[in-house]
Amino acid sequence: MAESLTLTVSLRGTREVRGKCQIFRLTGLLDAFSEPTFLKVINKYIEDGPAHIILDLSTIDFVDSSGLGALVRLVKKAKGESGSLQVVSNPRVTQTVKLVRLEQFLSLQPNVDAAIENLKKL
């Protein structure tokens, strides 16, 4: 069962633990306004475990450079906790990520099922 996350007015989401991973489904804007709260909340969940994270950004409307920076920091945090982070993307997010050539680093996936399958290979 998914629990609601308290983020910001412009960024909402849910968290679900499934097996050895946490799935965060986010909607809204991942920008300079929402980035500090987003980082604080997700970092805490990574520390509490499990450290394998799937961020479902398929319904995100906008990601700016602050949001991309937060994603990079979260990948590093998850790896530091012996976990991983994968991003489920949409065309808008994918385009932004590819502009800065982070698609491999952020492990972009087409959907949550593909991300879960990818976890089995780790």
Side-chain angles (χ1 to χ4, degrees):
M1 176 156 214
E3 67 178 89
S4 290
L5 297 176
T6 303
L7 296 166
T8 67
V9 173
S10 63
L11 183 66
R12 296 165 307 287
T14 61
R15 172 186 172 262
E16 172 189 355
V17 175
R18 194 183 301 177
K20 63 178 185 172
C21 75
Q22 299 183 71
I23 302 168
F24 296 89
R25 290 182 169 86
L26 302 170
T27 186
L29 310 175
L30 185 49
D31 57 11
F33 176 75
S34 61
E35 178 262 344
T37 303
F38 169 72
L39 259 182
K40 181 180 171 188
V41 169
I42 305 300
N43 268 324
K44 174 93 172 83
Y45 281 116
I46 290 172
E47 289 171 6
D48 293 347
H52 292 292
I53 305 297
I54 297 171
L55 291 177
D56 183 353
L57 305 184
S58 62
T59 58
I60 283 286
D61 297 319
F62 177 75
V63 177
D64 70 3
S65 59
S66 299
L68 289 175
L71 294 175
V72 168
R73 287 191 291 266
L74 290 173
V75 168
K76 291 177 179 179
K77 175 75 172 180
K79 287 182 177 179
E81 299 283 336
S82 300
S84 65
L85 187 139
Q86 301 178 77
V87 175
V88 175
S89 192
N90 65 31
R92 187 175 294 121
V93 172
T94 299
Q95 180 182 18
T96 305
V97 169
K98 284 186 172 185
L99 279 172
V100 291
R101 298 192 168 130
L102 286 172
E103 59 269 25
Q104 296 297 321
F105 185 76
L106 295 177
S107 187
L108 292 186
Q109 301 296 327
N111 55 54
V112 171
D113 290 336
I116 291 170
E117 280 302 309
N118 195 46
L119 262 182
K120 295 175 184 175
K121 300 174 190 172
L122 301 177

